[in-house]
């Protein structure tokens, strides 16, 4: 049975008609029409579906859309004007930190939130964080380099 | 895969939750952080008729330290436990365990109540709760009861909660001065579930030898094993360089390890010995600022 739910995504209010068992990842893509949030494993492992719930990273595949009434969801589309995200995009581009790009939205969302809080973004801390995002193409080296180049200028802003 | 349909209830208060649980019984499954339940629903390993969302319940979201106890509400998330000043000061082992669970995004949502209730045999908080002899405060419309986690944990993935009961909070005794707690977790892949883990609580005597010793081992998918009286032979021993390895050898020898799909028994036993050696070594090492 479907019910009406009010979702706030990237600051915009959406009235959607959904069933309780619809995953947030599917509702974002198929109902709201925002497709930057990717779906890989649906088990919380790959990180491709990572979005922000009230500014904290969360797996959209482990969240039911109906739970999100009263919360603010931010997807990569909503970070378009965020300076840290823009710096990350530029660094990923320059350092060849993506190939197919499937994993990239999850990396950017996770990193944009983390870099605003991290006080000591050492290479080890960056690698530890990124264990939660799988990339089948790049081998991670260039991603880590891109993150560290941004961390040097953007951390704690 | 996608979950099967269910009816959704959002608990508005603790009383509302308890009434829902009393009405729905086993078919009303609690949704806390969802970091274990939703993967199971997505894989259709579980198909409850009703989910009861407890994410709004401030009554389950508290951290206090008083009367020698650290009390943590069931809905407190791993990240908050890892970074909470009271937890870090009074119970560094619990904070440290929280910081190691899964990945950053998982720790933002997952809760201690969910982790302890699930009772995964290789999970971090169950190991800590077993070591510290933590107590769970359970509630239902019938009232409240407090049960030691060691008694509640019947077998892997099986805690002895009644159908209408929920976990309200967990009480960790604050370790006495001089008691050191260490844990060593062995993963095959970083952030994945541990293959084996060991946690130790040790008090040293005036000479730096062993005055009290408790060890918990999780390995091979077994219920975590608590060893204390089994280690009485080591009380008064040391300080001596061979002691950690001797304790670890004794521990590995008495564990009923069998071959599993992930690793043969001999390998698990070697990992247990290494984890135990490392954490006993750290627990015995002199620390700056403490009398030798
Ligand atoms: C990719 C990934 C990696 C992970 N790695 C680790 C790891 O390394 N170590 C580790 O320990 N864990 C790990 N986890 C599990 C994680 O810690 C979960 O958060 C935890 O096991 C369950 O907590 P939850 O709040 O998400 O509970 P949920 O998934 O919401 O619920 C789990 C179970 O507990 C019940 N429940 C929840 N709260 C209550 C309550 N208050 N009263 C009664 N019943 C309740 C639910 O009904 C359900 O049966 C991982 C999870 C993922 C997705
Ligand atoms: S699709 Fe959500 S973590 Fe992989
Ligand atoms: S760029 Fe292809 S998966 Fe990461």
């Amino acid at each position: 049975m479907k019910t009406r739910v009010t979702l706030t995504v990237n600051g915009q209010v959406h009235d959607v008609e959904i069933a309780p068992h619809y995953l947030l990842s599917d509702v974002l893509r198929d109902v709201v029409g925002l497709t930057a949030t990717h779906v890989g494993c649906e088990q919380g492992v790959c990180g491709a579906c990572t979005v922000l719930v009230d500014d904290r990273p969360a797996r959209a595949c482990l969240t039911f859309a109906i739970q999100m009434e009263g919360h603010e969801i931010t997807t990569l589309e909503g970070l378009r004007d965020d300076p840290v995200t823009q710096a990350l995009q530029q660094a990923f581009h320059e350092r060849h930190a993506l190939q197919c790009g499937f994993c990239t939205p999850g990396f950017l969302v996770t990193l944009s939130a983390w870099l605003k809080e991290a006080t000591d973004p050492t290479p080890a801390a960056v690698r530890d964080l990124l264990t939660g995002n799988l990339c089948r193409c790049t081998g991670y080296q260039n991603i880590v380099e891109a993150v560290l180049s941004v961390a040097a200028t953007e951390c704690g802003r | 895969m996608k979950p099967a349909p269910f009816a959704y209830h959002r608990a508005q208060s603790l009383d509302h939750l308890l009434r829902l649980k009393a009405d729905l019984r086993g078919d009303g499954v609690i949704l806390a952080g969802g970091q274990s339940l939703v993967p199971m629903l997505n894989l259709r390993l579980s198909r409850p008729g009703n989910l009861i969302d407890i994410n709004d319940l401030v009554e389950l979201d508290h951290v206090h330290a008083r009367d020698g106890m650290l009390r943590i509400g069931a809905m407190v998330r791993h990240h908050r436990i890892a970074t909470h000043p009271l937890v870090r000061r009074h119970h560094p082992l619990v904070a440290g365990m929280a910081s190691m669970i899964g990945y950053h995004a998982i720790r933002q949502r997952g809760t201690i109540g969910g982790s302890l209730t699930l009772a995964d045999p290789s999970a971090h908080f169950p190991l800590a709760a077993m070591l510290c002899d933590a107590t769970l405060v359970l509630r239902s419309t019938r009232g409240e009861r407090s049960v030691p986690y060691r008694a509640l944990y019947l077998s892997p993935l099986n805690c002895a909660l009644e159908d209408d009961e929920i976990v309200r909070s967990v009480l960790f005794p604050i370790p006495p001065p001089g008691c050191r707690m260490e844990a060593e977790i062995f993963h095959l892949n970083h952030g994945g579930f541990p293959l084996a883990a060991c946690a130790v609580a040790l008090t040293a005597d005036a000479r730096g030898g062993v005055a009290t010793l408790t060890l918990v081992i999780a390995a091979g998918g077994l219920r975590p094993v608590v060893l204390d009286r089994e280690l009485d032979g080591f009380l008064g021993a040391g300080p001596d360089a061979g002691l950690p390895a001797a304790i670890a050898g004794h521990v590995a020898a008495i564990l009923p390890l069998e071959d599993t799909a992930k690793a043969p028994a001999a390998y698990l036993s070697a990992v247990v010995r290494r984890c135990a050696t490392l954490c006993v070594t750290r627990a015995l090492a002199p620390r700056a600022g403490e009398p030798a």
Side-chain angles (χ1 to χ4, degrees), chain A residues 55-113:
Chain A
D55 295 330
R56 311 221 58 102
R59 302 298 204 225
C61 73
L62 300 186
T63 310
F64 295 108
I66 196 169
Q67 295 184 269
M68 291 293 102
E69 236 174 358
H71 296 278
E72 307 234 340
I73 303 156
T74 309
T75 66
L76 183 60
E77 288 95 338
L79 294 171
R80 200 185 310 256
D81 299 324
D82 171 56
V84 176
T85 308
Q86 288 173 341
L88 282 165
Q89 285 169 321
Q90 188 62 31
F92 268 52
H93 175 72
E94 283 165 10
R95 297 186 191 239
H96 203 72
L98 67 153
Q99 290 177 34
C100 78
F102 184 84
C103 67
T104 313
F107 274 89
L108 294 176
V109 170
T110 305
L111 285 162
S112 71

Side-chain angles (χ1 to χ4, degrees), chain B residues 154-224:
Chain B
L154 296 183
S155 57
L157 304 177
N158 182 11
C159 262
L161 261 66
E162 298 294 334
D163 265 358
D164 60 345
E165 271 181 328
I166 63 113
V167 178
R168 177 154 198 208
S169 31
V170 49
L171 297 167
F172 286 97
I174 295 174
C179 174
R180 288 185 177 169
M181 295 191 175
E182 296 286 344
E184 185 65 34
I185 317 278
F186 183 86
H187 303 269
L188 288 178
N189 60 321
H190 187 115
F193 270 94
L195 188 70
C198 173
V200 64
L202 187 152
T203 321
D205 60 23
R207 299 172 305 125
V210 180
T212 70
L213 176 63
T214 306
L215 223 134
V216 184
I217 306 280
L222 303 173
R223 179 187 190 279

Side-chain angles (χ1 to χ4, degrees), chain A residues 26 42 56 67 69 128, chain B residues 1-2 10 42 108 190:
Chain A
D26 292 332
E42 291 184 335
R56 311 221 58 102
Q67 295 184 269
E69 236 174 358
D128 185 67
Chain B
M1 272 171 51
K2 310 292 177 192
R10 192 157 170 167
N42 286 354
Q108 308 299 320
H190 187 115

Side-chain angles (χ1 to χ4, degrees), chain A residues 44, chain B residues 29-30 32-37 78 101-102 110-111 114-115 117 123-124 167 193:
Chain B
V29 170
I30 291 183
Q35 304 300 291
S36 294
L37 180 60
H78 306 335
I101 296 174
T111 67
S115 181
T117 312
H124 290 75
V167 178
F193 270 94

